[in-house]
Amino acid sequence: MDLSEIRIDDWEFIKWFARPALVEKNRGNVTLYIGQSYDSNLVSDGWSYDHCLSCFKRLSDYKDEETDEYGYFYQGEWICESCFIKIKQNNEANNI
């Protein structure tokens, strides 16, 4: 996703939430479930974190200095608050 083309109004600032995930029966690898067919175990809250599209900061309900609990969400993607502010300021500067 090209961050310079993000439509700011589409993104919603919300608390991060766990999403369904597929956990492989043998290896335990975890994949975000987005409706695909599977031969794995479906865990309703198995997706335990996401990363910011811009800086790769972790977004999760896990509380520490390196993790944000809130971020901007749109179509399954997350942007941390500090990156979103920078993107918004950049977009506004380019529209002047």
Side-chain angles (χ1 to χ4, degrees):
M1 175 179 285
D2 184 356
L3 298 177
S4 67
E5 297 178 4
I6 286 178
R7 292 179 28 154
I8 297 298
D9 295 339
D10 291 338
W11 294 76
E12 181 181 10
F13 185 69
I14 60 172
K15 186 176 191 307
W16 181 89
F17 58 93
R19 293 181 280 166
L22 301 174
V23 180
E24 286 184 10
K25 294 175 183 174
N26 296 331
R27 296 186 181 165
N29 294 338
V30 179
T31 306
L32 179 63
Y33 176 68
I34 54 173
Q36 69 272 41
S37 60
Y38 60 91
D39 184 28
S40 302
N41 295 323
L42 180 61
V43 180
S44 64
D45 61 353
W47 197 249
S48 59
Y49 64 91
D50 285 280
H51 288 283
C52 172
L53 283 175
S54 180
C55 71
F56 215 61
K57 184 172 191 170
R58 184 187 303 244
L59 291 112
S60 177
D61 56 3
Y62 183 76
K63 296 177 178 109
D64 68 13
E65 293 177 3
E66 299 173 11
T67 305
D68 284 352
E69 282 188 273
Y70 287 84
Y72 287 85
F73 181 77
Y74 176 65
Q75 292 186 341
E77 301 289 355
W78 289 89
I79 299 177
C80 73
E81 185 174 13
S82 60
C83 287
F84 190 84
I85 290 169
K86 290 175 191 172
I87 292 166
K88 184 176 180 180
Q89 288 171 342
N90 188 45
N91 287 356
E92 290 170 352
N94 290 332
N95 289 330
I96 296 174

mmCIF file of all heavy atoms in Angstrom, residues 29-64:
data_model
loop_
_atom_site.group_PDB
_atom_site.id
_atom_site.type_symbol
_atom_site.label_atom_id
_atom_site.label_comp_id
_atom_site.label_asym_id
_atom_site.label_seq_id
_atom_site.Cartn_x
_atom_site.Cartn_y
_atom_site.Cartn_z
ATOM 1 N N ASN A 29 1.978 -22.752 13.038
ATOM 2 C CA ASN A 29 2.058 -21.468 12.356
ATOM 3 C C ASN A 29 0.693 -20.793 12.376
ATOM 4 O O ASN A 29 -0.342 -21.448 12.238
ATOM 5 C CB ASN A 29 2.523 -21.636 10.911
ATOM 6 C CG ASN A 29 3.946 -22.131 10.819
ATOM 7 O OD1 ASN A 29 4.728 -21.975 11.752
ATOM 8 N ND2 ASN A 29 4.289 -22.742 9.699
ATOM 9 N N VAL A 30 0.690 -19.483 12.522
ATOM 10 C CA VAL A 30 -0.552 -18.719 12.636
ATOM 11 C C VAL A 30 -0.714 -17.826 11.411
ATOM 12 O O VAL A 30 0.218 -17.138 11.001
ATOM 13 C CB VAL A 30 -0.554 -17.867 13.918
ATOM 14 C CG1 VAL A 30 -1.828 -17.062 14.032
ATOM 15 C CG2 VAL A 30 -0.366 -18.747 15.146
ATOM 16 N N THR A 31 -1.912 -17.847 10.823
ATOM 17 C CA THR A 31 -2.254 -17.027 9.671
ATOM 18 C C THR A 31 -3.558 -16.302 9.965
ATOM 19 O O THR A 31 -4.499 -16.904 10.485
ATOM 20 C CB THR A 31 -2.444 -17.908 8.411
ATOM 21 O OG1 THR A 31 -1.283 -18.707 8.218
ATOM 22 C CG2 THR A 31 -2.716 -17.068 7.187
ATOM 23 N N LEU A 32 -3.623 -15.028 9.627
ATOM 24 C CA LEU A 32 -4.859 -14.270 9.793
ATOM 25 C C LEU A 32 -5.954 -14.904 8.942
ATOM 26 O O LEU A 32 -5.755 -15.177 7.751
ATOM 27 C CB LEU A 32 -4.648 -12.813 9.384
ATOM 28 C CG LEU A 32 -5.859 -11.899 9.482
ATOM 29 C CD1 LEU A 32 -6.336 -11.772 10.930
ATOM 30 C CD2 LEU A 32 -5.525 -10.522 8.920
ATOM 31 N N TYR A 33 -7.102 -15.151 9.539
ATOM 32 C CA TYR A 33 -8.229 -15.727 8.817
ATOM 33 C C TYR A 33 -9.037 -14.610 8.177
ATOM 34 O O TYR A 33 -9.535 -13.712 8.862
ATOM 35 C CB TYR A 33 -9.116 -16.548 9.754
ATOM 36 C CG TYR A 33 -10.343 -17.091 9.070
ATOM 37 C CD1 TYR A 33 -10.228 -18.069 8.086
ATOM 38 C CD2 TYR A 33 -11.607 -16.610 9.376
ATOM 39 C CE1 TYR A 33 -11.341 -18.567 7.442
ATOM 40 C CE2 TYR A 33 -12.726 -17.108 8.737
ATOM 41 C CZ TYR A 33 -12.590 -18.084 7.762
ATOM 42 O OH TYR A 33 -13.692 -18.568 7.120
ATOM 43 N N ILE A 34 -9.152 -14.657 6.847
ATOM 44 C CA ILE A 34 -9.920 -13.640 6.116
ATOM 45 C C ILE A 34 -10.980 -14.286 5.219
ATOM 46 O O ILE A 34 -11.388 -13.716 4.221
ATOM 47 C CB ILE A 34 -8.987 -12.722 5.301
ATOM 48 C CG1 ILE A 34 -8.075 -13.537 4.395
ATOM 49 C CG2 ILE A 34 -8.174 -11.826 6.224
ATOM 50 C CD1 ILE A 34 -7.236 -12.713 3.421
ATOM 51 N N GLY A 35 -11.377 -15.499 5.576
ATOM 52 C CA GLY A 35 -12.428 -16.179 4.839
ATOM 53 C C GLY A 35 -11.941 -17.288 3.920
ATOM 54 O O GLY A 35 -12.744 -17.934 3.253
ATOM 55 N N GLN A 36 -10.634 -17.507 3.868
ATOM 56 C CA GLN A 36 -10.087 -18.537 2.994
ATOM 57 C C GLN A 36 -10.443 -19.936 3.507
ATOM 58 O O GLN A 36 -10.726 -20.118 4.678
ATOM 59 C CB GLN A 36 -8.564 -18.362 2.840
ATOM 60 C CG GLN A 36 -7.743 -18.662 4.080
ATOM 61 C CD GLN A 36 -7.541 -17.483 5.008
ATOM 62 O OE1 GLN A 36 -8.441 -16.702 5.244
ATOM 63 N NE2 GLN A 36 -6.347 -17.385 5.577
ATOM 64 N N SER A 37 -10.422 -20.919 2.592
ATOM 65 C CA SER A 37 -10.638 -22.295 3.025
ATOM 66 C C SER A 37 -9.402 -22.737 3.811
ATOM 67 O O SER A 37 -8.314 -22.197 3.635
ATOM 68 C CB SER A 37 -10.871 -23.214 1.826
ATOM 69 O OG SER A 37 -9.761 -23.188 0.972
ATOM 70 N N TYR A 38 -9.584 -23.729 4.676
ATOM 71 C CA TYR A 38 -8.470 -24.113 5.536
ATOM 72 C C TYR A 38 -8.580 -25.542 6.010
ATOM 73 O O TYR A 38 -9.653 -26.129 6.029
ATOM 74 C CB TYR A 38 -8.378 -23.178 6.744
ATOM 75 C CG TYR A 38 -9.619 -23.161 7.618
ATOM 76 C CD1 TYR A 38 -9.741 -24.030 8.692
ATOM 77 C CD2 TYR A 38 -10.655 -22.278 7.375
ATOM 78 C CE1 TYR A 38 -10.867 -24.020 9.506
ATOM 79 C CE2 TYR A 38 -11.782 -22.263 8.180
ATOM 80 C CZ TYR A 38 -11.883 -23.124 9.241
ATOM 81 O OH TYR A 38 -12.994 -23.111 10.040
ATOM 82 N N ASP A 39 -7.439 -26.081 6.372
ATOM 83 C CA ASP A 39 -7.328 -27.392 6.995
ATOM 84 C C ASP A 39 -6.495 -27.210 8.270
ATOM 85 O O ASP A 39 -5.480 -27.859 8.477
ATOM 86 C CB ASP A 39 -6.665 -28.395 6.050
ATOM 87 C CG ASP A 39 -6.625 -29.792 6.640
ATOM 88 O OD1 ASP A 39 -7.504 -30.118 7.466
ATOM 89 O OD2 ASP A 39 -5.696 -30.545 6.295
ATOM 90 N N SER A 40 -6.891 -26.250 9.066
ATOM 91 C CA SER A 40 -6.198 -25.877 10.294
ATOM 92 C C SER A 40 -7.236 -25.651 11.377
ATOM 93 O O SER A 40 -8.431 -25.769 11.133
ATOM 94 C CB SER A 40 -5.412 -24.574 10.089
ATOM 95 O OG SER A 40 -4.493 -24.697 9.053
ATOM 96 N N ASN A 41 -6.767 -25.300 12.549
ATOM 97 C CA ASN A 41 -7.685 -24.954 13.631
ATOM 98 C C ASN A 41 -8.000 -23.465 13.553
ATOM 99 O O ASN A 41 -7.095 -22.635 13.490
ATOM 100 C CB ASN A 41 -7.051 -25.260 14.991
ATOM 101 C CG ASN A 41 -6.816 -26.740 15.176
ATOM 102 O OD1 ASN A 41 -7.611 -27.567 14.753
ATOM 103 N ND2 ASN A 41 -5.701 -27.083 15.799
ATOM 104 N N LEU A 42 -9.283 -23.134 13.560
ATOM 105 C CA LEU A 42 -9.716 -21.745 13.562
ATOM 106 C C LEU A 42 -9.858 -21.287 15.010
ATOM 107 O O LEU A 42 -10.617 -21.865 15.779
ATOM 108 C CB LEU A 42 -11.045 -21.588 12.819
ATOM 109 C CG LEU A 42 -11.619 -20.178 12.752
ATOM 110 C CD1 LEU A 42 -10.667 -19.231 12.026
ATOM 111 C CD2 LEU A 42 -12.974 -20.212 12.044
ATOM 112 N N VAL A 43 -9.102 -20.252 15.382
ATOM 113 C CA VAL A 43 -9.124 -19.718 16.741
ATOM 114 C C VAL A 43 -9.723 -18.314 16.660
ATOM 115 O O VAL A 43 -9.171 -17.445 15.966
ATOM 116 C CB VAL A 43 -7.702 -19.671 17.343
ATOM 117 C CG1 VAL A 43 -7.737 -19.104 18.752
ATOM 118 C CG2 VAL A 43 -7.080 -21.059 17.323
ATOM 119 N N SER A 44 -10.838 -18.088 17.358
ATOM 120 C CA SER A 44 -11.590 -16.841 17.199
ATOM 121 C C SER A 44 -10.791 -15.583 17.535
ATOM 122 O O SER A 44 -10.979 -14.551 16.920
ATOM 123 C CB SER A 44 -12.878 -16.873 18.024
ATOM 124 O OG SER A 44 -12.560 -16.952 19.397
ATOM 125 N N ASP A 45 -9.874 -15.657 18.494
ATOM 126 C CA ASP A 45 -9.062 -14.494 18.846
ATOM 127 C C ASP A 45 -7.571 -14.819 18.724
ATOM 128 O O ASP A 45 -6.739 -14.328 19.466
ATOM 129 C CB ASP A 45 -9.387 -13.991 20.241
ATOM 130 C CG ASP A 45 -9.125 -15.030 21.327
ATOM 131 O OD1 ASP A 45 -8.813 -16.192 20.984
ATOM 132 O OD2 ASP A 45 -9.224 -14.692 22.504
ATOM 133 N N GLY A 46 -7.237 -15.623 17.726
ATOM 134 C CA GLY A 46 -5.879 -16.135 17.585
ATOM 135 C C GLY A 46 -4.871 -15.163 16.996
ATOM 136 O O GLY A 46 -3.674 -15.376 17.104
ATOM 137 N N TRP A 47 -5.331 -14.099 16.350
ATOM 138 C CA TRP A 47 -4.410 -13.106 15.803
ATOM 139 C C TRP A 47 -4.087 -12.131 16.913
ATOM 140 O O TRP A 47 -4.894 -11.296 17.281
ATOM 141 C CB TRP A 47 -5.044 -12.404 14.604
ATOM 142 C CG TRP A 47 -4.067 -11.679 13.743
ATOM 143 C CD1 TRP A 47 -3.957 -10.327 13.610
ATOM 144 C CD2 TRP A 47 -3.092 -12.249 12.878
ATOM 145 N NE1 TRP A 47 -2.959 -10.030 12.724
ATOM 146 C CE2 TRP A 47 -2.397 -11.194 12.258
ATOM 147 C CE3 TRP A 47 -2.714 -13.557 12.583
ATOM 148 C CZ2 TRP A 47 -1.365 -11.409 11.356
ATOM 149 C CZ3 TRP A 47 -1.696 -13.762 11.684
ATOM 150 C CH2 TRP A 47 -1.033 -12.699 11.077
ATOM 151 N N SER A 48 -2.887 -12.209 17.463
ATOM 152 C CA SER A 48 -2.581 -11.540 18.724
ATOM 153 C C SER A 48 -1.952 -10.158 18.578
ATOM 154 O O SER A 48 -1.785 -9.461 19.582
ATOM 155 C CB SER A 48 -1.670 -12.420 19.578
ATOM 156 O OG SER A 48 -0.476 -12.697 18.881
ATOM 157 N N TYR A 49 -1.578 -9.747 17.380
ATOM 158 C CA TYR A 49 -1.038 -8.408 17.175
ATOM 159 C C TYR A 49 -0.984 -8.084 15.690
ATOM 160 O O TYR A 49 -1.086 -8.966 14.842
ATOM 161 C CB TYR A 49 0.355 -8.251 17.796
ATOM 162 C CG TYR A 49 1.410 -9.131 17.187
ATOM 163 C CD1 TYR A 49 2.188 -8.702 16.120
ATOM 164 C CD2 TYR A 49 1.636 -10.409 17.682
ATOM 165 C CE1 TYR A 49 3.149 -9.514 15.558
ATOM 166 C CE2 TYR A 49 2.602 -11.222 17.135
ATOM 167 C CZ TYR A 49 3.356 -10.768 16.061
ATOM 168 O OH TYR A 49 4.301 -11.588 15.507
ATOM 169 N N ASP A 50 -0.851 -6.810 15.397
ATOM 170 C CA ASP A 50 -0.648 -6.323 14.033
ATOM 171 C C ASP A 50 0.533 -5.369 14.061
ATOM 172 O O ASP A 50 1.024 -5.000 15.129
ATOM 173 C CB ASP A 50 -1.896 -5.596 13.530
ATOM 174 C CG ASP A 50 -3.016 -6.545 13.175
ATOM 175 O OD1 ASP A 50 -2.969 -7.119 12.079
ATOM 176 O OD2 ASP A 50 -3.944 -6.712 13.991
ATOM 177 N N HIS A 51 0.968 -4.950 12.886
ATOM 178 C CA HIS A 51 2.045 -3.977 12.786
ATOM 179 C C HIS A 51 1.567 -2.774 11.990
ATOM 180 O O HIS A 51 0.773 -2.917 11.055
ATOM 181 C CB HIS A 51 3.268 -4.571 12.080
ATOM 182 C CG HIS A 51 4.007 -5.563 12.893
ATOM 183 N ND1 HIS A 51 4.861 -5.207 13.911
ATOM 184 C CD2 HIS A 51 4.016 -6.912 12.868
ATOM 185 C CE1 HIS A 51 5.367 -6.289 14.462
ATOM 186 N NE2 HIS A 51 4.865 -7.352 13.846
ATOM 187 N N CYS A 52 2.083 -1.609 12.352
ATOM 188 C CA CYS A 52 1.828 -0.382 11.611
ATOM 189 C C CYS A 52 2.357 -0.543 10.184
ATOM 190 O O CYS A 52 3.458 -1.045 9.975
ATOM 191 C CB CYS A 52 2.510 0.791 12.316
ATOM 192 S SG CYS A 52 2.479 2.326 11.377
ATOM 193 N N LEU A 53 1.569 -0.103 9.212
ATOM 194 C CA LEU A 53 1.982 -0.185 7.819
ATOM 195 C C LEU A 53 3.221 0.654 7.526
ATOM 196 O O LEU A 53 3.970 0.364 6.604
ATOM 197 C CB LEU A 53 0.859 0.310 6.904
ATOM 198 C CG LEU A 53 -0.298 -0.619 6.652
ATOM 199 C CD1 LEU A 53 -1.371 0.075 5.834
ATOM 200 C CD2 LEU A 53 0.170 -1.875 5.955
ATOM 201 N N SER A 54 3.425 1.693 8.301
ATOM 202 C CA SER A 54 4.513 2.621 8.023
ATOM 203 C C SER A 54 5.796 2.285 8.782
ATOM 204 O O SER A 54 6.859 2.132 8.182
ATOM 205 C CB SER A 54 4.076 4.049 8.365
ATOM 206 O OG SER A 54 5.103 4.961 8.111
ATOM 207 N N CYS A 55 5.730 2.151 10.089
ATOM 208 C CA CYS A 55 6.946 1.994 10.899
ATOM 209 C C CYS A 55 7.107 0.591 11.494
ATOM 210 O O CYS A 55 8.108 0.296 12.116
ATOM 211 C CB CYS A 55 6.966 3.017 12.028
ATOM 212 S SG CYS A 55 5.746 2.699 13.325
ATOM 213 N N PHE A 56 6.105 -0.252 11.316
ATOM 214 C CA PHE A 56 6.118 -1.631 11.794
ATOM 215 C C PHE A 56 5.972 -1.750 13.317
ATOM 216 O O PHE A 56 6.228 -2.793 13.898
ATOM 217 C CB PHE A 56 7.369 -2.386 11.310
ATOM 218 C CG PHE A 56 7.107 -3.831 11.017
ATOM 219 C CD1 PHE A 56 6.197 -4.208 10.050
ATOM 220 C CD2 PHE A 56 7.766 -4.826 11.703
ATOM 221 C CE1 PHE A 56 5.947 -5.544 9.782
ATOM 222 C CE2 PHE A 56 7.526 -6.174 11.447
ATOM 223 C CZ PHE A 56 6.619 -6.520 10.478
ATOM 224 N N LYS A 57 5.565 -0.667 13.975
ATOM 225 C CA LYS A 57 5.317 -0.730 15.413
ATOM 226 C C LYS A 57 4.200 -1.729 15.687
ATOM 227 O O LYS A 57 3.252 -1.858 14.919
ATOM 228 C CB LYS A 57 4.920 0.652 15.941
ATOM 229 C CG LYS A 57 4.735 0.680 17.437
ATOM 230 C CD LYS A 57 4.532 2.089 17.948
ATOM 231 C CE LYS A 57 4.622 2.079 19.462
ATOM 232 N NZ LYS A 57 4.668 3.438 19.996
ATOM 233 N N ARG A 58 4.310 -2.428 16.798
ATOM 234 C CA ARG A 58 3.304 -3.426 17.162
ATOM 235 C C ARG A 58 2.051 -2.751 17.723
ATOM 236 O O ARG A 58 2.133 -1.841 18.532
ATOM 237 C CB ARG A 58 3.868 -4.379 18.202
ATOM 238 C CG ARG A 58 2.910 -5.508 18.571
ATOM 239 C CD ARG A 58 3.424 -6.333 19.725
ATOM 240 N NE ARG A 58 4.725 -6.892 19.449
ATOM 241 C CZ ARG A 58 4.963 -8.199 19.356
ATOM 242 N NH1 ARG A 58 4.014 -9.063 19.537
ATOM 243 N NH2 ARG A 58 6.175 -8.639 19.100
ATOM 244 N N LEU A 59 0.889 -3.242 17.290
ATOM 245 C CA LEU A 59 -0.398 -2.849 17.848
ATOM 246 C C LEU A 59 -1.033 -4.093 18.431
ATOM 247 O O LEU A 59 -1.124 -5.124 17.764
ATOM 248 C CB LEU A 59 -1.307 -2.243 16.778
ATOM 249 C CG LEU A 59 -0.834 -0.889 16.266
ATOM 250 C CD1 LEU A 59 -0.380 -0.990 14.850
ATOM 251 C CD2 LEU A 59 -1.910 0.144 16.443
ATOM 252 N N SER A 60 -1.429 -4.009 19.692
ATOM 253 C CA SER A 60 -1.947 -5.177 20.393
ATOM 254 C C SER A 60 -2.597 -4.725 21.691
ATOM 255 O O SER A 60 -2.509 -3.562 22.067
ATOM 256 C CB SER A 60 -0.799 -6.141 20.697
ATOM 257 O OG SER A 60 -1.241 -7.254 21.426
ATOM 258 N N ASP A 61 -3.225 -5.660 22.393
ATOM 259 C CA ASP A 61 -3.729 -5.338 23.724
ATOM 260 C C ASP A 61 -2.671 -5.607 24.788
ATOM 261 O O ASP A 61 -2.880 -5.391 25.967
ATOM 262 C CB ASP A 61 -5.025 -6.072 24.038
ATOM 263 C CG ASP A 61 -4.914 -7.584 23.901
ATOM 264 O OD1 ASP A 61 -3.808 -8.096 23.620
ATOM 265 O OD2 ASP A 61 -5.942 -8.253 24.061
ATOM 266 N N TYR A 62 -1.483 -6.057 24.360
ATOM 267 C CA TYR A 62 -0.363 -6.255 25.258
ATOM 268 C C TYR A 62 0.221 -4.890 25.611
ATOM 269 O O TYR A 62 0.508 -4.087 24.735
ATOM 270 C CB TYR A 62 0.705 -7.134 24.601
ATOM 271 C CG TYR A 62 1.866 -7.447 25.505
ATOM 272 C CD1 TYR A 62 1.733 -8.379 26.520
ATOM 273 C CD2 TYR A 62 3.084 -6.801 25.358
ATOM 274 C CE1 TYR A 62 2.792 -8.673 27.357
ATOM 275 C CE2 TYR A 62 4.149 -7.091 26.188
ATOM 276 C CZ TYR A 62 3.993 -8.016 27.194
ATOM 277 O OH TYR A 62 5.031 -8.304 28.033
ATOM 278 N N LYS A 63 0.370 -4.614 26.884
ATOM 279 C CA LYS A 63 0.791 -3.289 27.319
ATOM 280 C C LYS A 63 2.288 -3.260 27.630
ATOM 281 O O LYS A 63 2.745 -3.877 28.577
ATOM 282 C CB LYS A 63 -0.015 -2.855 28.536
ATOM 283 C CG LYS A 63 -1.483 -2.710 28.235
ATOM 284 C CD LYS A 63 -2.287 -2.340 29.473
ATOM 285 C CE LYS A 63 -3.727 -2.155 29.108
ATOM 286 N NZ LYS A 63 -4.602 -3.156 29.581
ATOM 287 N N ASP A 64 3.030 -2.521 26.804
ATOM 288 C CA ASP A 64 4.429 -2.215 27.086
ATOM 289 C C ASP A 64 4.809 -0.966 26.291
ATOM 290 O O ASP A 64 4.000 -0.431 25.532
ATOM 291 C CB ASP A 64 5.360 -3.390 26.800
ATOM 292 C CG ASP A 64 5.491 -3.744 25.335
ATOM 293 O OD1 ASP A 64 5.071 -2.952 24.464
ATOM 294 O OD2 ASP A 64 6.021 -4.820 25.036
#
